[in-house]
Amino acid sequence: MADDIRQGALPAFILIALLVIAGLAEWQTGGPLAWGLSRQALSDGRWITVLTHAVAHASPWHLLMNCSALIGLTVYLRPFLGFSLVGWARYGLVLAGSAGASALAYILLHPSDGLPMVGASGAICGLWGLAVRCDTETRFVKSLRSRNVLGGIREFAISNLVLFGALFLLVRLEGKAGGLAWEAHLGGFLFGLLAAPWLITPAETTTVEAPAATS
């Protein structure tokens, strides 16, 4: 069991090492303001922030929180994605696609106040969205209208609402700017949720059409 968990978490451990290295580089080269994504950054021609924002973090606690979520979701999803090279490719694809979707959602939905967005949470929310479409008993719940999926979406919304409120109060009490980039979380989550049928193949799972939820 311990060996299986270590094998399942291996991609997360590799990513965490890369995030730590990126964090050290970030604080030596301008910090979140330099690495973060915003409309102002793009207007200034700093398109590199489309990539750098996903590996930068606002603080060590921010990095630690994301790393914890990354490990848990990775261990859960590896059996659905597969442990072969193709499985590694699927894992990388959902992270890259979710990071891109989170960046796009942030730019489109966030007010143009120049506040930069940093963190791997958009990509991690993509894993969350993918996990909502998976079930350890039925192996794969395809229908977006299934009770499993709708319940997972509700949990995602509630969790983000609570986190948004807590961070909003904390930041305001400290007299600082910032908070939760809910737009990025939403973009990443939707990518994982919608891309699941193409990331988890029928050959590796059993597709189950769950009944629609009723009010």
Side-chain angles (χ1 to χ4, degrees), residues 12 16 19 61-75 124:
I16 288 171
L19 289 175
W61 290 111
H62 186 201
L63 175 60
L64 180 61
M65 181 174 63
N66 279 342
C67 288
S68 299
L70 181 63
I71 292 174
L73 286 167
T74 299
V75 170
I124 293 170

Side-chain angles (χ1 to χ4, degrees), residues 33-130:
L33 289 177
W35 287 50
L37 175 69
S38 66
R39 293 187 183 185
Q40 185 61 51
L42 298 183
S43 297
D44 294 340
R46 293 189 289 118
W47 288 87
I48 190 64
T49 57
V50 173
L51 300 176
T52 58
H53 84 276
V55 296
H57 288 85
S59 69
W61 290 111
H62 186 201
L63 175 60
L64 180 61
M65 181 174 63
N66 279 342
C67 288
S68 299
L70 181 63
I71 292 174
L73 286 167
T74 299
V75 170
Y76 178 78
L77 287 171
R78 286 300 300 288
F80 297 96
L81 297 171
F83 296 92
S84 65
L85 289 177
V86 175
W88 280 78
R90 291 178 188 144
Y91 180 79
L93 179 60
V94 67
L95 284 173
S98 300
S102 69
L104 179 61
Y106 184 78
I107 291 299
L108 292 178
L109 299 176
H110 192 76
S112 54
D113 57 5
L115 191 66
M117 182 265 289
V118 293
S121 55
I124 293 170
C125 283
L127 295 178
W128 191 347
L130 184 63

Side-chain angles (χ1 to χ4, degrees), residues 6-213:
R6 282 194 293 269
Q7 182 184 10
L10 182 57
F13 291 147
I14 294 174
L15 280 176
I16 288 171
L18 294 175
L19 289 175
V20 170
I21 293 172
L24 295 174
E26 170 195 353
W27 288 102
Q28 294 295 322
T29 56
L33 289 177
W35 287 50
L37 175 69
S38 66
R39 293 187 183 185
Q40 185 61 51
L42 298 183
S43 297
D44 294 340
R46 293 189 289 118
W47 288 87
I48 190 64
T49 57
V50 173
L51 300 176
T52 58
H53 84 276
V55 296
H57 288 85
S59 69
W61 290 111
H62 186 201
L63 175 60
L64 180 61
M65 181 174 63
N66 279 342
C67 288
S68 299
L70 181 63
I71 292 174
L73 286 167
T74 299
V75 170
Y76 178 78
L77 287 171
R78 286 300 300 288
F80 297 96
L81 297 171
F83 296 92
S84 65
L85 289 177
V86 175
W88 280 78
R90 291 178 188 144
Y91 180 79
L93 179 60
V94 67
L95 284 173
S98 300
S102 69
L104 179 61
Y106 184 78
I107 291 299
L108 292 178
L109 299 176
H110 192 76
S112 54
D113 57 5
L115 191 66
M117 182 265 289
V118 293
S121 55
I124 293 170
C125 283
L127 295 178
W128 191 347
L130 184 63
V132 166
R133 300 292 297 273
C134 301
D135 187 270
T136 53
E137 294 181 0
T138 61
R139 293 300 297 167
F140 185 51
V141 179
K142 184 177 180 181
S143 175
L144 286 171
R145 298 179 63 244
S146 70
R147 289 187 175 90
N148 301 63
V149 173
L150 293 178
I153 294 173
R154 182 169 57 251
E155 290 176 4
F156 171 81
I158 293 174
S159 297
N160 274 268
L161 182 62
V162 171
L163 185 57
F164 176 83
L167 288 177
F168 180 85
L169 289 175
L170 180 62
V171 169
R172 293 303 180 273
L173 288 174
E174 293 180 348
K176 299 179 181 178
L180 181 73
W182 65 267
E183 306 93 338
H185 286 197
L186 177 62
F189 181 81
L190 289 177
F191 179 88
L193 190 75
L194 299 177
W198 292 273
L199 293 169
I200 302 171
T201 65
E204 294 183 77
T205 58
T206 301
T207 300
V208 174
E209 291 288 351

